[in-house]
Amino acid sequence: MKRTLTTGAATLLAMLALGATALQAKTLVYCSEGSPENFTPALNTTGTSFDAARPVFNQLVEFERGSTNVVPGLAEKWDISADGLTVTFHLRKGVKFHTGVNGFKPTRDFNADDVLFSFNRQWKDDNPYHKISGGAYDYFSDMDMPKLLKSVEKVDDYTVKMVLTEPNVTIMANLAMDFMTIQSAEYADYLLKKGTPEQFDQIPVGTGPFSFVAYQKDAVIRYKAFAPYWGGKSKFDDLVYAITGDATSRYAKLKKGECNVMFGPNPADLEAIGKDTSLKLMSQPGLNIAYWAFNLEKPPFDKKEVRQAFAMAIDKAAIIKDVFQGAGQAAKNLIPPTIWSYNDKIVDYPYDPAKAKKMLEDAGVKLPLDVDLWYMPKQRPYNPNGKRIGEMMQADLAKVGVNAKLVTYEWGEYRKRMQQGEHMTGQLGWTGDNGDPDNFFFLLGCSAARPGGQNLSKWCDKGFDDRLNEAKKLTDKAARTKLYEEMQQIAHDEMPTYYIAHSVVFEATTKNVVGYKISPFGRHEFYGVEIQ
């Protein structure tokens, strides 16, 4: 169950509602876009939930803020064997867990037991927390971690040895992702003895720069700077997520000083934000893709000619102009052109309704054809308006004899249903987690095509998958590039997903925010930021 709002959080929410400024003192208020599903990243796949948990936790290795560089985290250094199969982590000493959260008082510092617990919860069926909160570890499974890990062993309290079944050049970047957050084994035991293990994922305890205070769904999350944080105390005292689903409302709060940082401005508001001297507007090309997945398990999408016809039925240029309004570019590959191995030789399918209709007829499709078209209910960095894109697609499909029924659900329910394969066609997208092409291509891999997996087309192509797995073993970047270029051609020809756009990411802050950076991975990170 979600934790109810405490008196302190209720007071804070009232101040926000009354139009108070960002609490004057050293408080940073972030106008976020939605409520998290929980506070355990291993259970989640969305940036909204990752953002909510990130202030509380650390990984063994982490990404440098605003960069793609992997730097030490809870492991202060690591050694990799010559054959690439063994990674030995040397852990930091003296790292403290948050105390007093949910009545928990740790009796020891962070150590190897916490690392083993965080791996084994996702990996081992006999771990007492494996099935808590549904027990779906989609990242861990879709990225083949169960197959890749041979063992994770405690050498001593501050040394952990991880042995792989085969070399994997992406392993350190993968471990820096949110799903490998390190949690407290002692806190897990504490809740198990209390008989409330489900609270582990709703009332989080970590080693991060901020400790959890309170949460009310669709309203507010409150955190407090953790003074004993191993990296040094935050430069402000309190962090507040003011959950504000509507972009127009977030912008209004930013202008009034009710929040310091806002997620996802409307494209139509960018010019005004840029001219406002009390605000700062930042932008950078997004490491992302907005796409439309065809479910190959539901005819007629098991025929590639049908999928190709649907690709030619959509006026992509009109979507880019109308919805992205200059803040995006048409996509022809799964990876954006900012990532190495991008295959620019790919020629996108043209917008050709007449040819699309003929291809459907030649494929034996009886027109009119009824399909469903699932559209995203929530704004994301890669898709500013899923409903509008859905409406435009619906109109385009009508021109070729396809009646598309628009369908959507609450965001968490929407994703879960799509991952189970309930849709015929559906929108989603992706922001890269680690800067490696593999982090995009796994979305079309066979491991992720399982029920509940993140391959939403449920497409499994041996030629594509063999190249995907081979590329993970190679240290030669040119050889990996060749494989990825070939995979992009295979995906283009087979068309399991229709690529819509790569967006430009915009974020806005008040003028007094110093040191905030746009993350290349779509993260929102506030440690190291100052309010002047």
Side-chain angles (χ1 to χ4, degrees):
M1 295 177 61
K2 304 291 186 184
R3 194 181 189 195
T4 56
L5 189 65
T6 65
T7 301
T11 302
L12 175 60
L13 183 58
M15 293 179 71
L16 290 171
L18 291 170
T21 60
L23 298 187
Q24 298 178 12
K26 292 185 178 180
T27 297
L28 186 146
V29 179
Y30 167 51
C31 275
S32 66
E33 79 283 13
S35 292
E37 293 162 84
N38 54 64
F39 291 87
T40 291
L43 294 165
N44 300 315
T45 60
T46 69
T48 305
S49 294
F50 290 154
D51 276 343
R54 199 169 289 121
V56 177
F57 294 113
N58 294 118
Q59 289 82 250
L60 284 173
V61 295
E62 301 185 342
F63 291 109
E64 184 179 10
R65 191 165 60 92
S67 167
T68 60
N69 298 325
V70 176
V71 297
L74 292 175
E76 61 182 356
K77 62 180 180 177
W78 57 90
D79 305 313
I80 302 178
S81 62
D83 60 8
L85 294 176
T86 303
V87 184
T88 303
F89 297 100
H90 305 279
L91 308 182
R92 292 184 187 275
K93 296 180 180 179
V95 174
K96 308 295 182 184
F97 280 103
H98 305 150
T99 186
V101 179
N102 201 20
F104 174 64
K105 296 181 180 180
T107 64
R108 61 167 177 79
D109 293 346
F110 156 79
N111 67 24
D113 292 332
D114 305 301
V115 177
L116 265 61
F117 169 80
S118 301
F119 273 92
N120 289 339
R121 180 186 179 180
Q122 301 180 73
W123 187 21
K124 303 293 187 181
D125 292 347
D126 60 356
N127 183 280
Y129 273 81
H130 184 72
K131 295 181 180 179
I132 298 296
S133 303
Y137 306 102
D138 292 329
Y139 258 110
F140 193 81
S141 297
D142 291 351
M143 300 184 76
D144 274 342
M145 292 294 285
K147 296 179 184 177
L148 181 62
L149 292 176
K150 183 176 181 180
S151 64
V152 180
E153 301 173 354
K154 174 182 176 180
V155 177
D156 57 44
D157 280 350
Y158 293 98
T159 310
V160 173
K161 183 172 71 172
M162 179 179 69
V163 181
L164 307 180
T165 57
E166 61 185 17
N168 188 300
V169 296
T170 69
I171 188 63
M172 297 311 294
N174 290 347
L175 291 178
M177 290 159 54
D178 290 278
F179 81 96
M180 278 314 307
T181 282
I182 304 300
Q183 296 179 288
S184 168
E186 189 179 23
Y187 181 51
D189 289 341
Y190 164 80
L191 292 177
L192 205 59
K193 290 173 183 176
K194 281 182 63 179
T196 57
E198 70 283 350
Q199 292 182 357
F200 187 78
D201 303 313
Q202 305 296 346
I203 308 174
V205 169
T207 59
F210 301 92
S211 60
F212 177 84
V213 176
Y215 166 52
Q216 184 182 35
K217 183 177 172 61
D218 299 330
V220 67
I221 314 172
R222 186 181 174 205
Y223 314 85
K224 187 89 175 170
F226 183 49
Y229 179 57
W230 59 267
K233 185 176 180 293
S234 167
K235 296 177 181 178
F236 55 89
D237 299 312
D238 296 284
L239 175 63
V240 176
Y241 282 29
I243 300 168
T244 312
D246 178 66
T248 301
S249 298
R250 291 195 296 273
Y251 177 32
K253 287 184 176 182
L254 188 75
K255 288 194 295 184
K256 293 177 184 178
E258 293 177 7
C259 60
N260 303 100
V261 180
M262 72 165 286
F263 171 90
N266 278 323
D269 293 329
L270 294 175
E271 183 177 358
I273 295 173
K275 292 179 179 179
D276 191 329
T277 57
S278 68
L279 305 177
K280 291 189 284 189
L281 181 65
M282 299 176 288
S283 68
Q284 71 178 24
L287 198 70
N288 61 37
I289 178 70
Y291 62 81
W292 182 33
F294 305 121
N295 188 341
L296 273 71
E297 294 180 343
K298 294 191 175 182
F301 297 104
D302 53 338
K303 296 181 179 180
K304 81 174 178 182
E305 293 81 8
V306 172
R307 303 191 297 268
Q308 292 170 343
F310 268 62
M312 287 188 282
I314 303 302
D315 188 349
K316 188 181 300 186
I319 292 174
I320 300 299
K321 180 179 179 181
D322 183 272
V323 179
F324 290 84
Q325 299 183 30
Q329 66 181 94
K332 62 182 181 180
N333 292 316
L334 181 60
I335 61 173
T338 50
I339 290 188
W340 60 271
S341 80
Y342 181 82
N343 190 346
D344 201 27
K345 294 180 181 178
I346 299 290
V347 178
D348 201 6
Y349 290 86
Y351 172 52
D352 191 337
K355 186 174 181 181
K357 187 172 185 179
K358 185 176 187 307
M359 285 185 69
L360 289 174
E361 293 170 340
D362 290 346
V365 175
K366 185 177 179 181
L367 300 177
L369 171 68
D370 293 330
V371 303
D372 61 35
L373 196 168
W374 291 32
Y375 69 88
M376 294 173 55
K378 181 176 289 296
Q379 178 187 0
R380 300 305 300 147
Y382 48 77
N383 186 333
N385 193 331
K387 184 178 182 181
R388 177 58 183 154
I389 291 177
E391 290 169 344
M392 294 180 74
M393 286 181 165
Q394 182 185 50
D396 286 341
L397 292 172
K399 297 173 186 175
V400 301
V402 176
N403 300 320
K405 178 185 177 182
L406 297 182
V407 177
T408 197
Y409 296 91
E410 179 273 330
W411 180 226
E413 186 73 9
Y414 178 89
R415 288 188 310 97
K416 290 174 184 176
R417 285 174 177 264
M418 282 197 71
Q419 287 180 217
Q420 288 298 328
E422 293 184 20
H423 62 294
M424 290 182 74
T425 76
Q427 297 174 14
L428 208 68
W430 190 256
T431 296
D433 294 286
N434 62 25
D436 194 284
D438 174 80
N439 185 243
F440 281 81
F441 292 127
F442 91 96
L443 293 169
L444 293 178
C446 293
S447 292
R450 61 186 173 82
Q454 296 178 83
N455 181 340
L456 303 182
S457 65
K458 308 307 177 186
W459 175 69
C460 177
D461 182 274
K462 187 176 187 303
F464 184 97
D465 210 57
D466 286 349
R467 289 170 173 81
L468 175 66
N469 293 324
E470 180 64 22
K472 295 176 184 179
K473 304 174 187 177
L474 302 177
T475 56
D476 187 325
K477 190 172 183 179
R480 290 185 75 198
T481 294
K482 183 176 183 297
L483 292 173
Y484 290 142
E485 288 176 345
E486 292 171 356
M487 289 161 58
Q488 288 166 78
Q489 187 65 58
I490 293 171
H492 171 268
D493 295 344
E494 293 293 322
M495 189 50 63
T497 57
Y498 174 81
Y499 307 127
I500 302 171
H502 308 291
S503 77
V504 176
V505 176
F506 289 88
E507 294 189 26
T509 74
T510 50
K511 206 75 171 180
N512 62 340
V513 173
V514 177
Y516 180 75
K517 298 179 180 180
I518 294 183
S519 165
F521 308 129
R523 301 175 172 211
H524 296 87
E525 300 171 296
F526 304 106
Y527 179 69
V529 176
E530 294 185 67
I531 303 173
Q532 294 185 343

